[in-house]
């Protein structure tokens, strides 16, 4: 638990340093849209790291969910939802940033990723992250991903006899998040 806590604190520190560097860079002052993607991704990472620093690691360390029994289920659902929103945002970021780099480098003559289109893309990415997280955590009849401290990981809370519908788009989305950067960066 302590090693994970130190690791997450260090990651948060590094993300904050990157934000400071971005805010003071000349490209930021020139209003380059690539920093909008970077900033959104770093803020998402900081939120996920904070969730680990202040809840998941202490929960593992103390081997307890840290909430009174009357609040436990609602608190877990809320924290698990935030985790999934962050996870989907991060996954979509891999796809969007890879496409941005490909278009910016290979098709540099076309101003597809203007400041306005980047802001719209980031907003759509956030909306999609919320939608996907709500769908997987609450709308599918089977499972929701949840932090499980005895196993030091995330597991699906499954209902016996009900198929895990979450994997019907989580696996393709994960594959797309791996395949898109591979193709885009290989092309560049």
């Amino acid at each position: 638990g302590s090693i994970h806590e130190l690791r997450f604190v260090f990651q948060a520190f590094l993300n904050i340093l990157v934000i400071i560097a971005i805010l003071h860079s000349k490209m930021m002052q020139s209003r380059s849209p690539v920093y909008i993607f970077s900033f959104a991704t770093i803020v998402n990472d900081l939120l996920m790291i904070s969730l680990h620093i202040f809840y998941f690691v202490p929960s593992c360390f103390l081997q307890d969910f840290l909430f009174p029994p009357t609040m436990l289920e609602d608190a877990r659902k809320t924290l698990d939802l935030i985790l999934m929103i962050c996870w989907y945002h991060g996954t979509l970021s891999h796809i969007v940033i890879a496409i941005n780099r490909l278009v910016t480098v290979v098709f540099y003559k076309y101003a597809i990723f203007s400041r306005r289109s980047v802001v719209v893309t980031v907003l759509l990415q956030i909306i999609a992250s919320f939608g996907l997280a709500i769908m997987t955590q609450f709308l599918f009849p089977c499972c929701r991903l949840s932090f499980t401290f005895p196993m030091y990981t995330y597991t699906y809370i499954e209902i016996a006899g009900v198929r895990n519908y979450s994997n019907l788009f989580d696996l393709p989305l994960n594959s797309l998040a791996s395949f898109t950067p591979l193709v885009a960066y290989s092309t560049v």
Side-chain angles (χ1 to χ4, degrees), residues 52-116:
H52 283 84
I53 289 172
F54 297 112
Y55 177 68
F56 294 147
V57 170
S59 183
C60 283
F61 190 74
L62 297 172
Q63 291 292 292
D64 186 25
F65 284 114
L66 307 179
F67 292 101
T70 56
M71 294 177 54
L72 181 61
E73 194 59 27
D74 289 337
R76 285 186 69 194
K77 284 181 180 178
T78 300
L79 293 174
D80 293 341
L81 177 64
I82 294 168
L83 170 78
M84 289 307 294
I85 291 168
C86 291
W87 183 80
Y88 281 121
H89 187 276
T91 303
L92 293 172
S93 289
H94 290 297
I95 297 167
V96 169
I97 291 172
I99 292 169
N100 170 267
R101 296 293 81 207
L102 173 70
V103 169
T104 303
V105 173
V106 176
F107 305 106
Y108 60 89
K109 292 181 181 180
Y110 306 103
I112 295 171
F113 284 99
S114 66
R115 186 172 185 79
R116 184 175 189 276

Side-chain angles (χ1 to χ4, degrees), residues 8-184:
F8 290 127
V9 169
F10 184 67
Q11 287 173 344
F13 173 74
L14 290 177
N15 275 308
I16 291 168
L17 285 180
V18 171
I19 287 175
I20 292 168
I22 288 172
L23 292 175
H24 289 92
S25 72
K26 288 183 181 183
M27 286 191 77
M28 179 67 175
Q29 293 165 359
S30 71
R31 301 174 58 86
S32 172
V34 74
Y35 287 106
I36 298 168
F37 285 134
S38 301
F39 190 76
T41 302
I42 292 169
V43 168
N44 180 68
D45 287 350
L46 283 171
L47 180 58
M48 189 177 265
I49 290 168
S50 297
L51 201 57
H52 283 84
I53 289 172
F54 297 112
Y55 177 68
F56 294 147
V57 170
S59 183
C60 283
F61 190 74
L62 297 172
Q63 291 292 292
D64 186 25
F65 284 114
L66 307 179
F67 292 101
T70 56
M71 294 177 54
L72 181 61
E73 194 59 27
D74 289 337
R76 285 186 69 194
K77 284 181 180 178
T78 300
L79 293 174
D80 293 341
L81 177 64
I82 294 168
L83 170 78
M84 289 307 294
I85 291 168
C86 291
W87 183 80
Y88 281 121
H89 187 276
T91 303
L92 293 172
S93 289
H94 290 297
I95 297 167
V96 169
I97 291 172
I99 292 169
N100 170 267
R101 296 293 81 207
L102 173 70
V103 169
T104 303
V105 173
V106 176
F107 305 106
Y108 60 89
K109 292 181 181 180
Y110 306 103
I112 295 171
F113 284 99
S114 66
R115 186 172 185 79
R116 184 175 189 276
S117 68
V118 169
V119 169
V120 169
T121 302
V122 168
L123 289 175
L124 290 174
Q125 186 179 337
I126 292 168
I127 292 167
S129 300
F130 271 85
L132 289 168
I134 289 168
M135 196 165 42
T136 59
Q137 296 299 95
F138 301 115
L139 300 181
F140 283 163
C142 163
C143 317
R144 78 172 208 269
L145 196 66
S146 185
F147 176 71
T148 309
F149 67 80
M151 298 172 62
Y152 300 100
T153 191
Y154 311 99
T155 58
Y156 282 105
I157 297 175
E158 297 184 23
I159 301 170
V162 178
R163 185 175 179 195
N164 183 348
Y165 292 99
S166 298
N167 278 334
L168 291 178
F169 67 88
D170 277 354
L171 292 176
L173 181 61
N174 289 338
S175 299
L176 189 61
S178 297
F179 182 73
T180 303
L182 176 69
V183 171

